[in-house]
Amino acid sequence: MDSARTASRTAVLVCQGRAAANGRLAVGRFADETAMSLLQDGERLVVDGVRSGSPPSDWRERLDYELVQATAEGMAPRTVAIDDAIEEAIEEAIEAASAAQVVVLGAGLDGRAWRMTSLAEVDVYEVDHPASQDAKRDRVAAAGLTLASKSVTYAPVDFSRDRLDDRLAAAGHQRGEPTIWVWEGVVPYLSGGEVAATVSALAGASAAGSRLIVQYQAPSLVASTGRLAIRGMNRLARREDMWTNEPSRSTWKPASIAGLLARNGYQVVRDDNLLTIADELGVTATHRRSLSAGRVLVSDLDA
């Protein structure tokens, strides 16, 4: 595959985490059959190892194994919380006799449009960098996935030169109808100013009653130290560091992000940490402190 059509390393890791969790964690509440299909052969090897519970003896390969295993622990509660918030908003739209539309921001290798049957009457728009979307489309085509949503439309956005609302309008997004925004796995890689600008842009492109679902990271010394340790081990092993091109740029205290949303007309419905959600789902978490820093926030735009 051409390097310009290669998915980001973090997008692959998230997909690997979902594939490793499928059928193993939060069974009956979490499922993602699309994840393994969207991975390439080499990317599936470590997932197979995690699923079989067979850690490799080579310490370099063990780094990937532990990272995917830890990611799987976070993917199950994170995905369930977001899926529940989407389905809840769809039900509310149906009751209000309004059209529901979902926009996935920084979609990466997200498989919701191909796995969520609740999207059967919903138009889905995926927003991502053009090169990332090219890679996603290649993988979807190779996997032969069947669409579960009413439609899926790719809205390529290069934020260095494109306006989000313009690109979405060109893709067919209906600004006058409520939108369910899914902002997952993106906020940590944006600066505080970029997060604020995006929230403002989303509010401007939303009708009253729209829902914004945000996955973000709260400040955590444990999580920061863990990431530094992984980077150090990768350097020692002379391996690629995924965070060189995709560094972590911001963390948010719940009160701070709630204040930002309120200034743009959004009111927080709930904001839970992933450890609490994992415990409720019966997920046995070994990285409890790291999970407690991950959060999923659900907010609605005032009518």
Side-chain angles (χ1 to χ4, degrees):
M1 181 182 293
D2 189 296
S3 60
R5 300 173 73 89
T6 301
S8 76
R9 182 65 187 90
T10 51
V12 171
L13 177 61
V14 166
C15 194
Q16 288 175 313
R18 286 187 170 131
N22 183 50
R24 296 176 57 250
L25 302 181
V27 178
R29 293 287 284 116
F30 169 81
D32 189 345
E33 298 289 347
T34 69
M36 190 69 91
S37 299
L38 290 170
L39 294 173
Q40 297 175 341
D41 290 343
E43 298 160 352
R44 295 188 185 113
L45 292 177
V46 63
V47 175
D48 289 336
V50 172
R51 291 182 62 82
S52 66
S54 305
S57 56
D58 183 89
W59 70 272
R60 295 172 183 82
E61 294 178 2
R62 183 67 178 261
L63 290 176
D64 288 338
Y65 178 96
E66 296 294 341
L67 185 56
V68 170
Q69 182 167 259
T71 301
E73 287 186 8
M75 285 304 105
R78 171 171 139 178
T79 304
V80 168
I82 293 173
D83 286 0
D84 284 354
I86 293 171
E87 292 177 346
E88 180 183 68
I90 291 172
E91 291 175 0
E92 292 174 358
I94 292 173
E95 290 176 1
S98 62
Q101 53 189 344
V102 171
V103 177
V104 184
L105 301 163
L109 298 178
D110 187 275
R112 288 185 171 90
W114 293 269
R115 67 171 176 79
M116 289 185 69
T117 56
S118 56
L119 299 176
E121 299 301 322
V122 178
D123 294 313
V124 175
Y125 300 88
E126 292 202 350
V127 174
D128 214 333
H129 188 278
S132 297
Q133 286 196 334
D134 285 345
K136 168 73 168 289
R137 295 174 81 157
D138 287 346
R139 290 174 184 243
V140 169
L145 297 178
T146 300
L147 200 62
S149 61
K150 179 181 178 182
S151 69
V152 62
T153 302
Y154 297 96
V157 177
D158 182 341
F159 284 98
S160 67
R161 62 184 184 185
D162 299 328
R163 282 176 53 95
L164 175 62
D165 54 351
D166 288 344
R167 299 300 298 164
L168 278 172
H173 174 255
Q174 301 300 307
R175 184 170 179 167
E177 295 289 344
T179 300
I180 303 166
W181 302 94
V182 179
W183 202 11
E184 178 185 12
V186 179
V187 170
Y189 303 102
L190 303 179
S191 67
E194 289 170 333
V195 173
T198 302
V199 170
S200 177
L202 298 184
S206 296
S210 292
R211 168 158 291 188
L212 172 58
I213 306 164
V214 186
Q215 180 268 317
Y216 70 100
Q217 292 292 119
S220 168
L221 180 59
V222 170
S224 299
T225 302
R227 179 170 291 204
L228 287 174
I230 292 172
R231 299 190 73 174
M233 294 293 282
N234 279 328
R235 282 195 294 270
L236 183 62
R238 297 182 180 180
R239 303 182 65 180
E240 177 187 5
D241 179 4
M242 76 175 73
W243 292 300
T244 297
N245 296 323
E246 301 170 72
S248 177
R249 290 192 170 96
S250 71
T251 57
W252 293 79
K253 293 181 178 179
S256 297
I257 199 164
L260 170 63
L261 291 169
R263 291 192 293 275
N264 287 274
Y266 285 98
Q267 297 302 316
V268 175
V269 176
R270 57 184 174 273
D271 184 349
D272 301 308
N273 71 63
L274 296 184
L275 179 58
T276 298
I277 301 169
D279 286 343
E280 291 174 350
L281 293 171
V283 174
T284 301
T286 57
H287 301 81
R288 297 182 66 81
R289 290 186 178 180
S290 295
L291 272 184
S292 66
R295 304 189 69 90
V296 173
L297 177 154
V298 180
S299 60
D300 290 336
L301 190 66
D302 290 342

